[in-house]
Amino acid sequence: MNFFNSIKHSRNNWWGKSWILTCLITLLIALNFGCSKVLPPEPFGPVPDERQLNVQDIEYYAFLHFTLNTFTGSQWGSGAESPELFNPSEFDADQIVGAVKKGGMRGVILTAKHHDGFCLWPSKYTEHSVKNSPWKNGKGDVVKEIAEACKRQGLAFGIYMSPWDRNHADYGKPEYIQYYRNQLKELLTNYGDIFTLWCDGANRGSGYYGGANEVRKIDNSTYYDWENTWQIAYDLQPKLYIFSDVGPGTRWVGNEEGHAGDPCWARFTPISRNEKPPAPGSILPEYNYTGQIDGKYWIPAETDVSIRPSWFYLEEEDSLVKSGEYILRMYYESVGHGATLNLNLPPDKRGLIHENDLKALTEFSQIFENIFEINLAENAKIEASDTRGRSKEYSTENLTDNNKATYWSTNDGVNDVSFTVSFNETTIFNVIDLREYTQLGQRVYTWAFDKLEDGEWVEFASGEAIGLRRIWRSDDRITTKKIRIRLKGPVCPAISEFGIYAEPEGLVIPPRKNWN
Ligand code: FUL
Ligand code: CA
């Protein structure tokens, strides 16, 4: 009896019918398994919101400190300076933004108003602005020109607007808050998409204040009514996140030297928060530096640092520009520790980024591309100790697909995990780069790297926390055919990207220096 005949025949008896039924059920179960989606891990602890995901993507951006100070040689103008002093001879927004781009950065934050109260845009609420300067016969608008150059060159544009205003007569009184909000509205409605509002907590009290020349003390935690002030910003700009000493978008790293703690948790509980919105100006720098493993909020650190010792341009600092190699050190110690990097490039009196700064940025980019252009893990075989639901959706292929939206994960409860990387041949490297899929929180608490040496695993590095990103690098090169990445945390990991790189031979990263 051939197969078809047997089926035909089997229809006539109960056993035959049940055999067909069993086949059908098995088929249905198999189909069901094939199609069923393996659920992603549950988020763990605080997670970033959409606004924070935006800044995490921008990751490395430039500060532009430019105002009357550029022309007076001051760092903190008193507010008494004449607007007539603002007169850049060759201002070129595309040259400035081009320099930012050359340095590999993805955004710009312009000091639209620094502590001296001078406005780089023709605000209708004050006379202390570019409209009373000889530059472009008072018809110029630096904010507009930089915003448009950013748009042309594909960079995000953000605003620094100092809350402390040493020029304004009402500073310290309730009226000033209305003034600040009016100006905020001008900046957030007239210049396209704004990715950040940078709220500076600095304030030493003294100022010109419309001629009063006195000390005015305010209570940082209540005076600006940040909750409502920030709501104005959120309403006007759907993607904007807010930087201040304590968040809520990003927090200050606690120094202006270009390094974040190791580890530097994105989790953070601001001391002044007390379940209320955080207020800039009151911080414990050591908390800001490292964040907290059990921090209640997702508030990653931003590392702000100038390419020169000062924030505003000084001719005497032309020889003190940080080198490309030093910028790389800062990048490793900020972005590489899970913080963002905000690198200040001060335009000079001409209104250009100085040649020496440009040279350093070009050097940095060349070194950077040299290191990160080849991911040695891409052609290696990666095998994990576990893969969530044995599903392709969470497989190790996601580690090297150059896509932050895909990740490798393990089954729930499998929290002490590893993956091995087998190279085709003996490989030399000194940089390892890991990213967590932060939408699910900060899940990895400790990591360790082993290399295979004479058939034995030998640990060569270990540490705590990954978060947005963790770049490990060493002066010593590792030579091996196989490495193992071990990760541990309270829940299963979600790792979105992984890379192994080799710095070019002969590259020397200068030691950390105290610049101020
Ligand atoms: C500080 C300010 O006082 C500096 O002048 C500079 O703007 C820096 C980025 O923030 O608090
Ligand atoms: Ca990926």
Side-chain angles (χ1 to χ4, degrees):
M1 204 188 303
N2 69 28
F3 181 72
F4 291 105
N5 278 341
S6 85
I7 290 180
K8 217 170 165 187
H9 176 76
S10 68
R11 277 201 195 118
N12 302 326
N13 63 59
W14 185 85
W15 283 109
K17 278 182 191 148
S18 81
W19 181 74
I20 290 173
L21 206 66
T22 314
C23 279
L24 271 172
I25 290 170
T26 316
L27 190 72
L28 278 175
I29 291 174
L31 276 174
N32 187 41
F33 265 114
C35 302
S36 83
K37 220 173 126 63
V38 180
L39 291 176
E42 286 288 318
F44 177 71
V47 295
D49 62 22
E50 285 299 316
R51 296 169 188 275
Q52 289 170 316
L53 289 174
N54 188 32
V55 57
Q56 289 177 201
D57 277 347
I58 297 173
E59 196 172 59
Y60 166 45
Y61 39 91
F63 231 161
L64 298 179
H65 272 67
F66 191 43
T67 189
L68 284 170
N69 292 348
T70 312
F71 302 88
T72 60
S74 164
Q75 292 300 312
W76 272 15
S78 71
E81 299 78 13
S82 164
E84 288 184 12
L85 295 170
F86 187 83
N87 197 12
S89 51
E90 299 169 44
F91 179 80
D92 181 348
D94 277 307
Q95 191 270 0
I96 296 172
V97 173
V100 174
K101 206 165 175 185
K102 197 163 269 170
M105 291 164 258
R106 300 193 196 111
V108 168
I109 304 174
L110 173 67
T111 54
K113 176 176 95 165
H114 200 250
H115 307 325
D116 65 357
F118 182 75
C119 299
L120 291 184
W121 79 105
S123 170
K124 66 176 183 208
Y125 301 101
T126 180
E127 292 305 303
H128 200 54
S129 85
V130 278
K131 74 182 172 204
N132 286 316
S133 80
W135 179 61
K136 299 199 168 174
N137 294 319
K139 299 272 176 285
D141 184 341
V142 178
V143 177
K144 185 164 182 261
E145 292 207 30
I146 296 287
E148 287 175 353
C150 282
K151 206 164 181 201
R152 275 195 293 278
Q153 301 198 36
L155 299 189
F157 179 61
I159 293 286
Y160 167 112
M161 187 170 81
S162 172
W164 182 29
D165 185 324
R166 305 179 84 193
N167 172 265
H168 203 271
D170 287 340
Y171 186 77
K173 303 177 192 159
E175 292 83 346
Y176 173 76
I177 303 309
Q178 194 52 51
Y179 173 71
Y180 186 83
R181 289 179 179 172
N182 287 341
Q183 293 200 318
L184 191 61
K185 284 183 200 156
E186 281 185 321
L187 288 171
L188 302 185
T189 33
N190 298 336
Y191 299 97
D193 290 344
I194 307 289
F195 84 97
T196 185
L197 174 67
W198 211 95
C199 298
D200 197 330
N203 188 339
R204 295 241 180 93
S206 66
Y208 170 73
Y209 304 131
N213 285 310
E214 56 189 16
V215 173
R216 293 187 183 172
K217 293 267 181 221
I218 54 110
D219 177 353
N220 248 328
S221 61
T222 53
Y223 179 57
Y224 301 103
D225 179 17
W226 284 120
E227 199 173 357
N228 290 309
T229 302
W230 287 340
Q231 194 54 50
I232 295 171
Y234 288 151
D235 290 345
L236 292 171
Q237 292 282 342
K239 280 194 164 173
L240 174 144
Y241 75 90
I242 284 160
F243 165 94
S244 91
D245 290 338
V246 289
T250 50
R251 68 177 196 263
W252 186 41
V253 76
N255 67 71
E256 294 177 341
E257 304 274 294
H259 51 89
D262 181 2
C264 183
W265 297 91
R267 291 188 186 157
F268 181 63
T269 310
I271 48 154
S272 62
R273 191 153 176 164
N274 294 328
E275 303 304 326
K276 287 200 229 101
S282 51
I283 64 156
L284 284 179
E286 65 272 25
Y287 280 178
N288 281 52
Y289 192 57
T290 59
Q292 293 133 297
I293 190 169
D294 55 354
K296 283 198 218 155
Y297 306 95
W298 184 272
I299 311 177
E302 181 201 89
T303 309
D304 63 324
V305 59
S306 185
I307 196 164
R308 289 157 172 255
S310 300
W311 291 103
F312 288 95
Y313 176 82
L314 292 173
E315 198 177 333
E316 59 264 37
E317 293 184 352
D318 282 351
S319 59
L320 298 175
V321 176
K322 295 175 176 82
S323 65
E325 288 85 353
Y326 201 87
I327 299 174
L328 180 65
R329 159 176 283 280
M330 298 194 296
Y331 185 91
Y332 280 146
E333 294 186 336
S334 55
V335 173
H337 288 189
T340 57
L341 174 57
N342 180 3
L343 178 65
N344 180 59
L345 314 174
D348 61 17
K349 289 185 188 185
R350 295 171 299 173
L352 300 174
I353 298 299
H354 190 272
E355 291 72 5
N356 294 1
D357 307 47
L358 262 180
K359 188 168 161 269
L361 293 168
T362 311
E363 277 165 14
F364 168 74
S365 295
Q366 280 164 357
I367 304 169
F368 189 85
E369 271 161 36
N370 230 315
I371 301 169
F372 289 97
E373 108 188 302
I374 298 173
N375 181 357
L376 299 165
E378 260 171 34
N379 291 324
K381 189 167 158 214
I382 303 186
E383 287 164 303
S385 61
D386 189 52
T387 293
R388 189 172 188 81
R390 278 185 278 158
S391 156
K392 208 169 152 46
E393 214 180 331
Y394 305 103
S395 79
T396 53
E397 278 170 33
N398 295 336
L399 290 169
T400 52
D401 64 353
N402 238 323
N403 178 0
K404 283 193 257 174
T406 61
Y407 57 92
W408 161 68
S409 186
T410 60
N411 286 296
D412 288 340
V414 184
N415 310 340
D416 186 352
V417 302
S418 68
F419 61 88
T420 56
V421 183
S422 310
F423 303 109
N424 296 329
E425 53 194 33
T426 302
T427 299
I428 304 174
F429 64 89
N430 68 331
V431 177
I432 294 183
D433 190 359
L434 283 160
R435 287 177 192 270
E436 277 188 87
Y437 181 72
T438 57
Q439 285 90 326
L440 296 178
Q442 202 154 2
R443 311 171 71 90
V444 174
Y445 280 15
T446 58
W447 49 266
F449 307 149
D450 307 318
K451 61 177 170 177
L452 198 65
E453 199 173 87
D454 303 327
E456 305 263 330
W457 286 120
V458 180
E459 183 178 301
F460 62 89
S462 66
E464 276 177 54
I466 297 177
L468 277 54
R469 198 162 172 191
R470 166 59 76 143
I471 307 176
W472 166 88
R473 66 101 25 208
S474 158
D475 282 336
D476 301 321
R477 281 155 194 277
I478 307 292
T479 307
T480 187
K481 270 196 90 171
K482 203 166 180 163
I483 63 165
R484 183 170 67 176
I485 309 293
R486 283 180 286 130
L487 308 171
K488 232 189 247 184
V491 285
C492 65
I495 306 294
S496 64
E497 283 296 284
F498 167 68
I500 303 178
Y501 306 93
E503 287 175 353
E505 292 281 349
L507 175 74
V508 179
I509 302 205
R512 195 189 286 173
K513 197 171 144 184
N514 193 342
W515 294 85
N516 299 310

